[in-house]
Amino acid sequence: MKVKPTSQIKINQDGLFFNKYFEVKSLEDANLTMSQIADFQCDANEELAHFFYDSYLYDKSGETETYVLLVKQSLPKQGIAKGDILGYFTLCAFSLFVSEPQYSYFTEKEETTLTAIPCLMLGQYAFNSKITKQLPFLNFGYYIFSEYILNIVYKVKKYIGIKYLVLYAADNSPSPPYKLIENYKSWGFETIDIPDNSYIFTPTYDEGCQLMIFKLEKQEPQWSLTQKIERQLHERV
C-alpha cells in the first residue's frame, strides 16, 4: 500500500531534527529513573501516561517490548534537557481471531469457523506533551512510525509469518471526521468492514476503540531517509 504523507519534505526535515536531538532505546537499555517516568505527560490520552508506569512489568513478563524516545542533546531555549522523554511505543505479538461461516467439505454444509491471523500489535504510541508543546512546528509521528517502528516490524517478519501490523485507535474526537483515525489512514492503516455474519474478537481493554490494520508487504519498504543518508556517506568514503 502506498502511503501518502502530507509533505515528504516536511517529514524529512522533522526526521533530520529528530536524529540530531533524539534517539530510540529499548526500555531496558534506557535505564530510566522514576522522576523521568513521572514527568511523562500525555494530554491527548492520560491512560497512555499511566500505561507508561506499568510498561516495566509488561516488558519484564515478556508480554511487550517498549521503546523510548529520549533527548540526547539538550535544547536550552525550549527548556528541554538531555535524558527527557519525548515519547514511547510498545510492540507485541498478536493474533486476530476471526469467526465467520465457511462451507465444510466434510459435513457438506456451512459451519462457523475460527481463524487466527498472525500479526504484530502497536499497543501504545504516545508523546510527552511537555516537550511537544515546546516544539509545535515539529510532527514526529509518521517519521518515527516509518523509520523505526516499521523497521522493527519488517526485521521480525524476515523470520516469522506476520500478515498485519494492527492497532486499536482510541479516538476521542467528539464527531466525524475522527482526527486520530484519519491520521493513521494517511500512514497506510485501514479500517475493516465486518460482514453481519462474521465477528472479530477484540481484547476487553480495547473495547470501544477502532481496529485498524497495516498490510505488510513481502519486501521491506524503500530506503528510509536515514538509510539513504548513511548509504550516500558510505559511497563517498
Side-chain angles (χ1 to χ4, degrees):
M1 174 176 298
K2 187 177 181 180
V3 180
K4 298 180 179 179
T6 305
S7 171
Q8 188 61 52
I9 294 176
K10 177 66 168 61
I11 291 168
N12 291 350
Q13 291 172 341
D14 290 349
L16 290 172
F17 187 93
F18 178 86
N19 289 331
K20 181 177 180 179
Y21 292 99
F22 301 92
E23 61 184 342
V24 179
K25 287 187 175 182
S26 69
L27 184 61
E28 182 179 1
D29 293 337
N31 294 318
L32 302 179
T33 64
M34 289 306 298
S35 61
Q36 286 176 292
I37 297 174
D39 196 51
F40 187 86
Q41 177 181 315
C42 183
D43 294 342
N45 190 333
E46 293 182 0
E47 291 185 6
L48 291 174
H50 296 317
F51 184 89
F52 194 37
Y53 282 99
D54 299 329
S55 57
Y56 275 103
L57 297 176
Y58 287 104
D59 277 29
K60 190 173 182 179
S61 68
E63 295 179 57
T64 63
E65 189 68 29
T66 301
Y67 297 85
V68 186
L69 316 174
L70 292 171
V71 178
K72 68 178 180 180
Q73 183 175 329
S74 300
L75 293 160
K77 291 183 179 180
Q78 288 78 18
I80 300 173
K82 181 178 179 179
D84 285 351
I85 301 171
L86 169 65
Y88 78 97
F89 61 88
T90 298
L91 293 168
C92 64
F94 184 75
S95 290
L96 272 180
F97 288 98
V98 181
S99 176
E100 58 185 345
Q102 290 186 355
Y103 180 80
S104 172
Y105 290 97
F106 295 100
T107 61
E108 297 184 344
K109 62 180 180 180
E110 194 173 76
E111 296 182 350
T112 299
T113 62
L114 184 64
T115 304
I117 302 173
C119 308
L120 284 182
M121 176 190 281
L122 178 57
Q124 281 76 35
Y125 188 23
F127 289 88
N128 190 345
S129 301
K130 292 182 179 180
I131 293 183
T132 56
K133 286 178 181 178
Q134 301 303 317
L135 302 170
F137 54 92
L138 295 170
N139 183 357
F140 295 132
Y142 176 75
Y143 175 78
I144 293 168
F145 171 71
S146 60
E147 181 78 7
Y148 292 96
I149 296 176
L150 281 185
N151 186 36
I152 295 170
V153 170
Y154 275 101
K155 282 182 179 178
V156 175
K157 185 175 171 57
K158 285 182 178 180
Y159 300 99
I160 62 174
I162 304 170
K163 191 167 185 178
Y164 304 122
L165 174 65
V166 306
L167 60 79
Y168 285 88
D171 200 320
N172 297 322
S173 305
S175 60
Y178 297 109
K179 186 177 180 180
L180 183 61
I181 292 175
E182 291 304 313
N183 184 58
Y184 283 136
K185 284 183 177 179
S186 73
W187 296 2
F189 281 91
E190 303 175 45
T191 55
I192 303 175
D193 295 324
I194 305 172
D196 293 336
N197 58 353
S198 300
Y199 181 78
I200 294 180
F201 293 87
T202 300
T204 54
Y205 50 80
D206 283 319
E207 288 182 356
C209 299
Q210 174 64 59
L211 169 65
M212 305 189 74
I213 65 170
F214 185 96
K215 296 179 180 178
L216 298 172
E217 306 295 338
K218 289 186 177 181
Q219 301 296 325
E220 291 190 40
Q222 294 181 348
W223 291 94
S224 60
L225 174 64
T226 300
Q227 290 171 325
K228 286 179 180 178
I229 295 173
E230 290 177 348
R231 191 180 186 188
Q232 289 173 2
L233 292 174
H234 178 72
E235 290 175 349
R236 292 176 185 175
V237 177

